[in-house]
């Protein structure tokens, strides 16, 4: 029988270089986008949370003046979270699929998401 020989040290270094080059680019893109959008997420997330409160008079005023804020936050900004960054780093997945995966984990497995973030 033919025995498989382990790859040489140069082949391992080449694979490691490719891995670091492309994975580092994904991490850098995620860090830049998520970091840039964090203040907007905070502002619009706060307005969305206040709007969703049932007995708050501000929610009626905000929903009558500009209901698009809640929709924009829910459809776009809510996905650019630290959970998506954690998914990029741990799984090596592209940013866009990591954002969708982080949303699924947050909806279905809240305990797992909190454990990964260090909150218990």
């Amino acid at each position: 029988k033919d025995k498989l020989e382990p790859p040489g040290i140069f082949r391992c270094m080449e694979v490691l270089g490719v891995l670091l080059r492309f994975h580092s680019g994904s991490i850098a893109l995620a860090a830049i986008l998520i970091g840039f959008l964090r203040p907007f997420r905070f502002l619009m997330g706060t307005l969305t949370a206040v709007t969703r409160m049932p007995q708050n008079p501000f929610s009626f005023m905000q929903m009558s003046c500009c209901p698009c804020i809640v929709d924009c936050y829910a459809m776009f900004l809510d996905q650019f979270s630290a959970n998506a960054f954690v998914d990029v780093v741990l799984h090596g997945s592209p940013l866009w699929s990591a954002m969708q995966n982080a949303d699924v984990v947050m909806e279905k497995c809240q305990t797992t998401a909190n454990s990964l973030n260090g909150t218990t």
Side-chain angles (χ1 to χ4, degrees):
K1 292 184 175 181
D2 292 330
K3 291 187 177 183
L4 295 175
E5 294 183 21
I9 188 72
F10 294 111
R11 179 67 179 154
C12 290
M13 296 301 286
E14 179 184 350
V15 169
L16 182 63
V18 169
L19 173 73
L20 288 176
R21 184 176 69 199
F22 290 109
H23 189 58
S24 297
S26 297
I27 290 173
L29 174 67
I32 290 169
L33 280 175
I34 292 171
F36 176 74
L37 292 173
R38 186 163 280 226
F40 301 109
R41 277 191 80 236
F42 176 74
L43 178 66
M44 292 184 69
T46 303
L47 288 174
T48 300
V50 169
T51 302
R52 290 179 177 167
M53 292 179 185
Q55 298 299 325
N56 191 356
F58 180 75
S59 66
F60 298 118
M61 181 180 70
Q62 199 276 333
M63 283 305 282
S64 63
C65 293
C66 189
C68 63
I69 289 178
V70 175
D71 294 335
C72 177
Y73 178 79
M75 291 185 334
F76 180 69
L77 285 177
D78 191 32
Q79 296 179 356
F80 286 94
S81 65
N83 297 322
F85 184 76
V86 169
D87 195 271
V88 168
V89 171
L90 291 180
H91 296 127
S93 56
L95 178 61
W96 309 118
S97 61
M99 290 187 317
Q100 294 168 351
N101 188 35
D103 277 348
V104 169
V105 169
M106 287 300 292
E107 288 176 10
K108 300 194 186 227
C109 308
Q110 186 68 36
T111 305
T112 303
N114 289 341
S115 298
L116 288 173
N117 288 332
T119 58
T120 55

